[in-house]
């Protein structure tokens, strides 16, 4: 009996339950655990926490974000149409005296602008005929730039690039498949078109903040906001942590808009009131575009999407 036990023992000890080393009982030689004290690891953990909080606290608003974004994007056109109607005489006088519009042409110019802005804005809000609505509003931006002689004004140019970016975001949000394609011709798929419009919208949206950096008096707060805001703009443009950076810009621009463009605190007869009001509603339009970006994400042509692939 004892001899059997002594013979059996070596066989038992030499038995290997995992001869090929496939179990997870031991750590791989190439694996290295994350160091919680690593600064980069802390930044990753912080950004993940911020993203999770944005996701959690935006849940009640999420079903309404597309409607809020679309409304804010076109609010500048609605305000502009209302301003033209309520200041009709002043608008006619300016176009005829300063822009040398012939009598009658100035009236037609304003009527076309008002009707296009009202019809296009209503269609965007209702998500009906979005392609035509966006095309009409884009035409208004260009026509007004030449008509009022503001096309070479840098601030006007940067702001309207951002408004155009917001319109591209609207178009991407409302994009649907179309069947009216010509047989035999090469076409771009709906998914690809949406990716390109999202990319263009992201890039154009940040020009408003660039205009903010270029104008105004400099102080410590402005320098800090400009540096952080510029970093967020770059992140939006390349699509890196795009939802987080877009949400940050929504907050910053909203606070800036209330304090810097407080047109309601200026007397109605003051000449700067209309300029502040114009800037206020244009900034709201860009905020609307950023809200759509938070809702939709950056699209396929972005660092965030490439990270998912690789």
């Amino acid at each position: 009996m004892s001899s059997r036990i002594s013979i059996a023992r070596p066989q038992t000890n030499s038995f290997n339950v995992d001869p090929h080393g496939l179990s997870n009982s031991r750590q791989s030689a190439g694996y290295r655990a994350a160091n919680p004290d690593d600064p980069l690891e802390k930044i990753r953990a912080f950004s993940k926490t911020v993203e999770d909080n944005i996701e959690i606290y935006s849940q009640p608003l999420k079903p309404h974000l597309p409607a809020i974004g679309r409304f804010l994007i076109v609010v500048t056109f609605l305000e502009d149409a209302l301003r033209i109607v309520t200041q009709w005489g002043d608008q006619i006088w300016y176009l005829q005296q300063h822009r040398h519009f012939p009598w009658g042409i100035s009236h037609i110019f304003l009527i076309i602008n008002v009707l296009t802005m009202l019809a296009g804005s209503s269609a965007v809000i209702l998500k009906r005929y979005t392609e035509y609505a966006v095309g009409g509003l884009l035409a208004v931006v260009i026509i007004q730039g030449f008509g009022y002689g503001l096309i070479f004004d840098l601030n006007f140019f940067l702001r309207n690039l951002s408004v155009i970016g917001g319109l591209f975001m609207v178009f991407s949000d409302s994009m649907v498949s179309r069947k009216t394609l010509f047989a035999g011709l090469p076409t771009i798929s709906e998914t690809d078109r949406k990716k390109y419009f999202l990319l263009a919208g992201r890039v154009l949206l940040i020009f408003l903040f660039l205009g903010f950096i270029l104008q105004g008096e400099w102080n410590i707060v402005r320098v800090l906001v400009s540096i952080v805001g510029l970093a967020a703009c770059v992140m939006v443009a390349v699509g890196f942590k795009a939802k987080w950076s877009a949400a940050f810009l929504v907050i910053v621009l909203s606070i800036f808009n209330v304090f810097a463009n407080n047109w309601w605190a200026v007397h109605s007869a003051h000449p700067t009131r209309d300029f502040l009001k114009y800037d206020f509603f244009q900034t709201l339009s860009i905020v609307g575009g950023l809200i759509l970006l938070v809702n939709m994400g950056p699209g396929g042509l972005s660092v965030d999407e490439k990270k998912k692939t690789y």
Side-chain angles (χ1 to χ4, degrees):
M1 179 69 69
S2 61
S3 63
R4 285 186 180 179
I5 294 174
S6 62
I7 293 172
R9 274 179 187 169
Q11 293 176 353
T12 305
N13 292 339
S14 63
F15 177 72
N16 188 352
V17 295
D18 186 23
H20 301 291
L22 299 177
S23 72
N24 295 324
S25 59
R26 51 179 182 167
Q27 184 172 298
S28 171
Y31 174 80
R32 186 175 63 184
N35 181 10
D37 295 326
D38 184 6
L40 289 177
E41 201 61 40
K42 290 181 179 180
I43 293 174
R44 289 193 193 98
F46 175 75
S47 64
K48 184 67 170 63
T49 303
V50 172
E51 287 178 346
D52 291 342
N53 287 332
I54 291 174
E55 193 70 26
I56 292 170
Y57 291 111
S58 64
Q59 283 301 321
L61 281 175
K62 202 157 190 178
H64 310 290
L65 285 181
I68 294 171
R70 290 196 305 271
F71 174 75
L72 289 178
I73 285 171
V74 300
V75 73
T76 186
F77 297 101
L78 294 172
E79 187 276 331
D80 197 23
L82 179 63
R83 180 166 51 84
I84 289 175
V85 171
T86 56
Q87 300 177 2
W88 185 264
D90 294 337
Q91 296 285 329
I92 293 292
W93 178 84
Y94 177 82
L95 290 175
Q96 292 179 358
Q97 297 298 319
H98 291 273
R99 301 301 301 160
H100 309 294
F101 275 55
W103 190 96
I105 300 297
S106 57
H107 296 71
I108 294 173
F109 176 82
L110 293 179
I111 290 172
I112 290 175
N113 272 271
V114 170
L115 293 178
T116 304
M117 287 189 289
L118 291 177
S121 299
S122 301
V124 166
I125 292 172
L126 298 174
K127 277 187 95 169
R128 302 295 300 273
Y129 308 107
T130 307
E131 291 185 10
Y132 301 105
V134 169
L137 295 176
L138 285 174
V140 166
V141 172
I142 297 171
I143 290 171
Q144 284 194 354
F146 285 102
Y148 287 97
L150 298 172
I151 193 67
F152 298 110
D153 181 271
L154 181 61
N155 186 34
F156 172 88
F157 183 72
L158 293 175
R159 283 180 172 275
N160 278 277
L161 281 179
S162 293
V163 171
I164 291 172
L167 291 174
F168 281 176
M169 299 300 293
V170 167
F171 186 76
S172 302
D173 179 57
S174 304
M175 193 170 285
V176 294
S177 297
R178 295 185 303 172
K179 297 181 180 179
T180 56
L181 301 175
F182 295 100
L185 292 179
T187 58
I188 301 176
S189 69
E190 205 69 26
T191 303
D192 288 337
R193 289 204 309 148
K194 187 169 184 175
K195 288 193 299 186
Y196 293 129
F197 274 102
L198 276 171
L199 174 62
R202 290 199 327 260
V203 173
L204 291 175
L205 276 173
I206 68 173
F207 279 97
L208 171 72
F209 206 88
L210 297 181
F212 163 74
I213 293 175
L214 293 175
Q215 64 176 359
E217 297 180 359
W218 288 95
N219 51 50
I220 298 296
V221 176
R222 186 182 181 86
V223 170
L224 292 176
V225 172
S226 297
I227 293 173
V228 177
L230 186 60
C233 287
V234 173
M235 291 168 68
V236 166
V238 301
F240 176 67
K241 302 292 183 184
K243 288 189 175 184
W244 182 89
S245 50
F248 171 78
L249 286 176
V250 166
I251 296 171
V252 170
L253 288 176
S254 298
I255 295 172
F256 163 77
N257 205 24
V258 170
F259 287 99
N261 296 322
N262 55 340
W263 56 270
W264 54 88
V266 180
H267 192 273
S268 57
H270 200 282
T272 61
R273 180 184 170 92
D274 275 348
F275 291 102
L276 290 175
K277 196 174 183 181
Y278 173 79
D279 287 348
F280 177 83
F281 284 101
Q282 275 214 321
T283 304
L284 281 184
S285 293
I286 288 103
V287 168
L290 291 168
I291 288 175
L292 286 185
L293 177 57
V294 172
N295 181 67
M296 290 188 295
L301 299 175
S302 63
V303 175
D304 289 344
E305 289 299 317
K306 296 301 180 185
K307 283 169 63 180
K308 292 179 183 178
T309 305
Y310 299 105

